[in-house]
């Protein structure tokens, strides 16, 4: 169902049904990232849902390169993304897109160690100096 935002009707994301099972998780967060929706669990970015033209139409699996072979052996539809090589990509055009996307969400729910990357700490300039931004995990300063 469309959402109303500031007098406008906002269409639901076409992949909202994929991340929906994660919404009940206490540490789940959905954030906009480069025109996509990124799903976070336990402060890790796990999946990124993109609904643009190829190669930005499908699901990015946020993982470390060391995990690519194991995930690709389990899901043959996964491939390294042509731009973001560090992450695997499940294109919407894959024959088994829906079942693989559902299984990937299940793995995220199970906290499969192969999926999920802690975002890098961003540095920002303050008065000409680089300083580390405070990092909060689980509501606590780390």
């Amino acid at each position: 169902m469309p959402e109303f935002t500031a007098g406008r009707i906002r269409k639901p994301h076409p992949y909202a049904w994929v991340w929906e099972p994660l919404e009940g998780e206490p540490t789940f967060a959905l954030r906009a990232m480069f025109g996509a929706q990124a799903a976070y669990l336990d402060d890790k970015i796990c999946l990124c849902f993109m609904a643009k033209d190829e190669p930005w139409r499908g699901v990015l699996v946020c993982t470390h390169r060391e995990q690519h072979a194991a995930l690709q052996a389990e899901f043959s539809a996964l491939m390294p993304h042509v731009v973001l090589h560090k992450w695997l990509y499940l294109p919407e055009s894959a024959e088994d897109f829906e079942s693989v996307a559902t299984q990937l969400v299940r793995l995220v729910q199970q906290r499969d160690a192969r999926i999920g990357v802690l975002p890098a700490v961003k540095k920002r300039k303050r008065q000409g100096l680089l300083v580390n931004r405070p990092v909060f995990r689980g509501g606590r300063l780390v």
Side-chain angles (χ1 to χ4, degrees):
M1 172 172 265
E3 296 178 23
F4 292 96
T5 307
R8 297 183 309 163
I9 296 177
R10 200 169 95 197
K11 287 175 42 180
H13 195 282
Y15 303 137
W17 62 271
V18 181
W19 73 66
E20 197 171 75
L22 296 171
E23 291 176 345
E25 296 285 340
T27 62
F28 173 76
L30 190 67
R31 299 182 185 134
M33 184 177 94
F34 306 118
Q37 293 295 317
Y40 290 75
L41 199 60
D42 302 331
D43 296 321
K44 294 180 180 180
I45 182 171
C46 298
L47 301 169
C48 189
F49 304 91
M50 306 169 303
K52 296 185 176 193
D53 294 329
E54 284 293 342
W56 303 104
R57 186 160 198 84
V59 179
L60 278 173
V61 181
C62 309
T63 186
H64 296 283
R65 285 188 175 101
E66 299 83 34
Q67 305 298 338
H68 284 202
L71 286 165
Q72 287 178 291
E74 190 170 342
F75 305 104
S76 61
L78 290 178
M79 62 188 78
H81 191 268
V82 296
V83 177
L84 296 172
H85 306 285
K86 64 183 180 178
W87 290 346
L88 293 174
Y89 178 54
L90 174 64
E92 183 187 76
S93 60
E95 191 173 303
D96 51 354
F97 173 80
E98 292 179 4
S99 66
V100 172
T102 302
Q103 291 173 56
L104 289 168
V105 166
R106 200 168 297 124
L107 289 178
V108 170
Q109 284 179 303
Q110 294 168 354
R111 301 335 194 247
D112 189 301
R114 299 173 296 176
I115 301 176
V117 176
L118 281 172
V121 176
K122 293 182 180 179
K123 293 184 178 186
R124 62 181 175 169
K125 286 187 176 184
R126 186 181 294 167
Q127 298 175 355
L129 301 173
L130 284 177
V131 294
N132 288 334
R133 189 177 95 203
V135 176
F136 292 90
R137 298 215 194 290
R140 296 181 314 204
L141 180 64
V142 179

